Amino acid sequence: MLHRLTALLAFSALSCTNAAARDKEVVHDAEYYVLEAQNGERWAVEDGKLDQKLEELSEKNGAPPNIIHIMWDDTSFGDVGIPAISKIRGFESPNIDRMAREGVLFTRMYTEVGCTPSRSAVMTGRLAVRSATYDIGFPIHNEGLNRKEVTMAEVLSEAGYSTAFYGKWHLGDIEESYPHNQGFDETLFTPYNQVTSIQNATGEGANAVLGLVEEMLPPDPYKLDDTMLPTGWVQAIEGEKGEPGREWKKPDLEGFLEIDPECHRRTLAFIEKNAEAKKPFYVAYWPNMTDFIPNPKKVTQSRSLYADGFTQNVDAFIGKVMDRLRELGIAENTILVTMADNGPMAHNPPPGLGMTETIFRGGKGDFLEGGVRVPAFAWWPGTIEGGQIVGDIIHESDLYTTFARLAGAKKQIPTDRIVDGIDQTALFINGDTHGRRDSVFIYAGPRLGAIVKGNFKKHVISSDPTAGSGIAASYYFLLHDTREKSPMLVNTLHLKGAFNRMQARHELWKEKYPDWPATRGPALTGIANARPETKALSKPPVNMKDLPFDPLQYIKYDPPFDPNADPDLGD
C-alpha cells in the first residue's frame, strides 16, 4: 500500500496544492516526483556536498568546467570500450578503451530509437515526441527543430560559455532549426545524414542510388513529371550566431569526405582558442563517421564501412582530444562524454556497412534494448574516478540538465514545459548507485513502444495475439533475457498495475503539457551563397496559374505517421 500511496501523493502534488510552489522550478515527467518523494531528503544532503565540491573546483580552476560531447552513429553496446567484443568484431577502439579505464563506462545509457529523435533529446533535454522531432529527415524534409526549444547551447551561452557545433546535426533543413540559430556561436553541420554521400554521380554510377542523377542515365521516354526528384539540397552548412549560413563544399562524395576532417580541425582550434582566452566552452562534435561508398583501402580486419570509419574518424580523434586537453593543461577542468546515438543499423543497411546486434536484440528504429541501449563513457581527470562500471539507468536527455548543473546554469532551463532530463551530477561525480532515474519511456515515432522500470520492461506495443485482452505476455526481466525473446505473463502479473500507473501518470501529465506539433517550413533558406536550384526549393515548381491548388501547401502539411505500421521488433 505504501508505494501506491506515495505514487498518488506525488502525482497529486504535481497537479494540486504544490503546483504554485513548482512554478519556477524545472518540470520533469511524473515518475521523477515519485522518486523524489521517497529520496528527496537524501538527495538534498548529497546535493549540498556536490555544490560545495563544484564551487571548490571552479575556484581552483578559475572557471566552471569545459564540456565536450562526442556522439557518433549506430553502435551496439559492447562494440567499443569492451576489448573482447571489439576483438570478436574485427577492430579495436584503443582510445575509447582508455576512456573506460580512466573514467566511467555506463552500462545502461538509453537513447531514442533513431538519429533525429536522439539528437533532439540531447539538445533539448526532452523526449522527441514532445516536439514531434521523431521523423528521420532526408532531402528535402521541410521540417526541423522549433525556435521555441531552448537548446543546451542556449542554456550554456547564458552562463557565459562559448559554444560550437561540428558534424552531423540532422535536426532539420528549415532555417530556424540550424544550430547557429539555436544558440551556437559557430557551426559546421550537415542537415541530413550519411545518405547524402551516395546521392551524387559517384553513387549513381555504383548503383548505390537508383535514378537520381538523370544526366547519367538514358532518357526515359515515359517520364512526365520533372518535379519528382530532390534537387538543390545542401550537404553541409557553416554559420555563426546571428548571421546567415553558407553552403560548405559541393554536395558530392568528395565534399562529404572532407566534412569530418574539417570538423576535427575546427573542434581542436575551438578548444585551443578558448583555453588561451581562459573562457569556459561547450563543443559538440557529432561525426558523420562514414560514407556509404566502400573504399578499396581497408584499415581493419572487419573491413566494413562502420569499423573503418569509427577507428579513423571517431576513436582516433577522441585520443587526440584527450591528449590535447592534457597538453593545454585543462584536462582537469574538462568533462568529456562520448557515446553512440542509438543502436546499429541492423535492418536494411547499405552493402558492407558491417553493423550487427551484440548482447542485446534489435537495432536502430527498435524499442528493444539493442535499439536504444548504447556504449557511453565519461572522462574528467581528478573528478571522475577511473575504472568505474556504472549500472544505474541514465537517459541521453539527462546530459542537458547535468551539463547545466555543472555549468551553474540551471536557472536558464525553461520551466514552462516538461524537461525529461534528470540532473545526474551525483552519478557522474559519486559513481555507481548514485543515479536518480530508474525508468525510461521509449517511443517508436509518436507511439509509446516500451517502458523500462529497473530490470523489468514492458512492451506497450506487443506482438502477442492476446494483447487485445489487456493482459499480453509482454513483460521481460532483462537480467535473464537480454534479447527480449521470452516474454512472461503469470510470473510478472504483479507488475501489471505498476506499469499501468506509470503509463497513466505519463499520459495525464501530457494533458497539462501537451506535445507540440511538428515545425514545418521552406527548406534551406537563410543561406547567403545559395545556388539557384536551392533558392528554387521555396518557389512554386510550376506556374501557379496552371494549377487549382497551391503547390507549396504541402510544406505546411504534416504527413500522418502510420499508427498501424509494423514497429519491427527485431525478429
Side-chain angles (χ1 to χ4, degrees):
M1 287 296 295
L2 177 61
H3 69 282
R4 293 183 182 180
L5 179 61
T6 302
L8 289 171
L9 289 175
F11 192 73
S12 296
L14 294 178
S15 54
C16 301
T17 57
N18 203 28
R22 295 190 181 277
D23 279 349
K24 295 183 180 180
E25 296 182 12
V26 176
V27 179
H28 293 301
D29 203 359
E31 290 313 298
Y32 171 77
Y33 300 103
V34 174
L35 299 187
E36 185 187 48
Q38 300 169 78
N39 300 279
E41 292 183 6
R42 177 171 61 85
W43 288 351
V45 172
E46 189 174 38
D47 282 339
K49 295 178 181 178
L50 288 169
D51 286 340
Q52 182 178 352
K53 181 165 187 173
L54 291 172
E55 185 176 346
E56 291 171 354
L57 285 170
S58 290
E59 289 178 359
K60 173 185 174 182
N61 295 301
N66 308 305
I67 299 168
I68 302 174
H69 184 226
I70 298 177
M71 184 167 72
W72 63 91
D73 274 73
D74 303 7
T75 301
S76 300
F77 179 85
D79 257 8
V80 300
I82 302 178
I85 298 180
S86 301
K87 178 75 72 173
I88 292 169
R89 296 279 286 114
F91 66 98
E92 297 178 343
S93 56
N95 295 294
I96 287 287
D97 297 348
R98 174 157 58 115
M99 274 195 76
R101 290 194 304 271
E102 299 178 4
V104 169
L105 185 158
F106 296 100
T107 64
R108 299 197 73 180
M109 171 65 86
Y110 284 89
T111 67
E112 301 274 83
V113 300
C115 303
T116 298
S118 184
R119 288 151 205 275
S120 176
V122 169
M123 200 49 62
T124 68
R126 287 154 45 84
L127 298 178
V129 71
R130 303 203 188 276
S131 57
T133 47
Y134 43 72
D135 192 16
I136 310 299
F138 301 91
I140 300 296
H141 194 44
N142 296 110
E143 194 169 302
L145 194 64
N146 193 297
R147 63 169 57 90
K148 293 187 296 183
E149 286 289 3
V150 180
T151 67
M152 195 182 299
E154 290 170 309
V155 169
L156 297 180
S157 290
E158 289 293 319
Y161 275 64
S162 294
T163 59
F165 180 88
Y166 304 115
K168 179 183 170 182
W169 179 244
H170 206 190
L171 282 172
D173 58 6
I174 59 175
E175 187 174 346
E176 67 186 87
S177 72
Y178 301 163
H180 54 277
N181 294 330
Q182 291 281 355
F184 284 96
D185 296 324
E186 51 188 83
T187 66
L188 173 61
F189 69 98
T190 56
Y192 308 112
N193 62 8
Q194 293 87 340
V195 76
T196 64
S197 68
I198 59 174
Q199 291 188 338
N200 48 53
T202 305
E204 187 74 65
N207 276 357
V209 64
L210 299 175
L212 176 64
V213 186
E214 292 185 298
E215 56 267 30
M216 296 180 63
L217 308 173
D220 182 356
Y222 305 104
K223 179 183 175 183
L224 298 176
D225 187 357
D226 278 328
T227 68
M228 180 70 178
L229 299 176
T231 60
W233 55 271
V234 171
Q235 188 161 252
I237 302 170
E238 60 181 347
E240 298 176 357
K241 186 184 292 183
E243 300 292 333
R246 299 174 298 279
E247 181 173 18
W248 189 84
K249 301 293 182 179
K250 296 179 181 179
D252 54 22
L253 178 60
E254 290 73 20
F256 184 92
L257 294 175
E258 291 185 53
I259 295 170
D260 276 359
E262 179 65 13
C263 288
H264 294 171
R265 187 190 69 77
R266 294 192 187 198
T267 299
L268 290 174
F270 179 81
I271 291 170
E272 292 162 358
K273 175 179 67 177
N274 285 283
E276 184 177 353
K278 299 186 183 305
K279 185 173 182 180
F281 62 83
Y282 160 58
V283 58
Y285 169 51
W286 297 353
N288 281 278
M289 188 167 72
T290 184
D291 62 288
F292 287 168
I293 299 288
N295 189 329
K297 183 179 180 181
K298 313 298 180 184
V299 298
T300 66
Q301 285 189 321
S302 172
R303 57 184 290 129
S304 67
L305 292 168
Y306 155 63
D308 286 7
F310 178 84
T311 55
Q312 295 178 100
N313 290 329
V314 181
D315 188 75
F317 182 67
I318 288 171
K320 289 181 181 178
V321 169
M322 295 168 70
D323 292 343
R324 192 69 184 118
L325 291 172
R326 283 199 162 108
E327 291 166 1
L328 293 168
I330 60 172
E332 293 192 356
N333 197 37
T334 302
I335 180 171
L336 169 64
V337 176
T338 68
M339 59 183 290
D341 65 345
N342 46 248
M345 191 176 183
H347 313 303
N348 306 307
L353 185 61
M355 294 178 178
T356 189
E357 301 173 3
T358 53
I359 299 170
F360 304 113
R361 185 166 66 103
K364 183 174 188 165
D366 297 329
F367 55 76
L368 298 167
E369 297 290 286
V372 294
R373 194 161 161 181
V374 301
F377 311 85
W379 180 83
W380 188 357
T383 298
I384 290 179
E385 183 180 343
Q388 295 185 70
I389 299 176
V390 167
D392 303 71
I393 292 177
I394 180 171
H395 189 267
E396 60 182 339
S397 63
D398 296 346
L399 297 179
Y400 179 90
T401 322
T402 304
F403 288 171
R405 167 84 176 278
L406 296 176
K410 287 192 73 173
K411 291 183 179 179
Q412 312 305 328
I413 297 175
T415 58
D416 62 344
R417 66 200 68 180
I418 292 176
V419 174
D420 296 285
I422 303 301
D423 177 11
Q424 295 272 31
T425 301
L427 179 60
F428 277 84
I429 293 180
N430 293 339
D432 194 39
T433 74
H434 288 271
R436 299 189 180 181
R437 171 191 289 280
D438 72 347
S439 64
V440 178
F441 291 89
I442 306 170
Y443 276 81
R447 305 170 64 196
L448 181 60
I451 304 172
V452 174
K453 177 73 169 180
N455 289 314
F456 291 96
K457 184 171 184 177
K458 177 185 178 181
H459 288 185
V460 179
I461 299 175
S462 174
S463 57
D464 185 348
T466 66
S469 69
I471 314 178
S474 57
Y475 300 93
Y476 299 82
F477 184 50
L478 295 173
L479 297 183
H480 288 184
D481 187 10
T482 60
R483 298 188 63 76
E484 295 165 80
K485 294 287 284 186
S486 303
M488 297 182 289
L489 181 60
V490 174
N491 51 351
T492 53
L493 281 176
H494 60 285
L495 300 173
K496 180 176 182 289
F499 275 104
N500 285 348
R501 288 193 298 274
M502 288 179 66
Q503 186 172 348
R505 287 192 293 259
H506 178 70
E507 293 177 356
L508 285 168
W509 207 218
K510 280 190 173 201
E511 292 182 6
K512 183 170 183 179
Y513 297 96
D515 296 340
W516 298 357
T519 304
R520 296 182 61 80
L524 300 170
T525 58
I527 299 176
N529 61 341
R531 290 170 281 124
E533 55 267 39
T534 303
K535 293 179 180 178
L537 292 171
S538 55
K539 298 177 182 179
V542 296
N543 191 331
M544 296 275 285
K545 296 179 181 179
D546 295 336
L547 295 175
F549 58 87
D550 181 355
L552 294 183
Q553 189 176 5
Y554 77 91
I555 289 176
K556 294 294 185 182
Y557 176 68
D558 189 14
F561 195 96
D562 183 1
N564 298 310
D566 180 2
D568 193 350
L569 299 180
D571 293 318

